[in-house]
Amino acid sequence: MGGLGKTTLAKLVFDSQKVTTQFDCRACITVSQSSTVRGLLINMMEEFCGETENPLMQMLHKMDDKSLITQVRQYLQHKKYLIFFDDVWQEDFSDQVEIAMPNNNK
């Protein structure tokens, strides 16, 4: 149900200094109903890499899905990361994206 302030509250926590200092990288991704996993992973990497001139960002758009997932996993493998997926409507969403998220106990 919209309008309850879920996103506002989650974003306040996500942006708080207590949280930001605890993670190597963070991303806040809005998931539209027409989003693809591929698009979400590329958006996520863009947020992780920020405004840097990282050559990896140019390569991501050209990679096939399997290579993209491998690259995301490699990037996150040794990092403590936080990803906030907002406006998710699909019940199986986590099943679709978790393949790219390493469980590194961080």
Side-chain angles (χ1 to χ4, degrees), residues 25-27 44-50 75-76 81-83:
C25 55
R26 301 173 314 117
M44 186 176 67
M45 290 299 292
E46 288 171 347
E47 284 208 30
F48 288 155
C49 294
Y75 183 84
L76 294 174
Y81 60 91
L82 173 65
I83 306 166

Side-chain angles (χ1 to χ4, degrees), residues 1-104:
M1 178 180 282
L4 299 176
K6 300 178 296 293
T7 297
T8 302
L9 178 59
K11 194 74 169 101
L12 283 171
V13 172
F14 181 84
D15 290 333
S16 73
Q17 186 176 6
K18 256 186 173 176
V19 171
T20 58
T21 58
Q22 298 298 313
F23 295 93
D24 300 319
C25 55
R26 301 173 314 117
C28 179
I29 307 294
T30 300
V31 182
S32 70
Q33 291 184 5
S34 61
S35 294
T36 63
V37 172
R38 177 182 182 74
L40 294 172
L41 293 178
I42 291 172
N43 290 348
M44 186 176 67
M45 290 299 292
E46 288 171 347
E47 284 208 30
F48 288 155
C49 294
E51 299 297 321
T52 63
E53 295 295 322
N54 191 330
L56 171 63
M57 294 313 303
Q58 298 296 325
M59 294 177 358
L60 290 178
H61 292 278
K62 298 174 184 173
M63 290 180 184
D64 61 50
D65 291 351
K66 186 175 181 181
S67 299
L68 175 61
I69 289 169
T70 300
Q71 197 64 47
V72 171
R73 287 184 65 80
Q74 286 177 353
Y75 183 84
L76 294 174
Q77 188 61 45
H78 300 291
K79 292 181 173 59
K80 187 174 181 183
Y81 60 91
L82 173 65
I83 306 166
F84 167 37
F85 290 107
D86 185 37
D87 204 23
V88 176
W89 288 83
Q90 298 171 333
E91 289 184 24
D92 65 340
F93 175 77
S94 62
D95 296 335
Q96 295 175 32
V97 296
E98 74 180 345
I99 191 168
M101 311 298 157
N103 183 1
N104 58 12

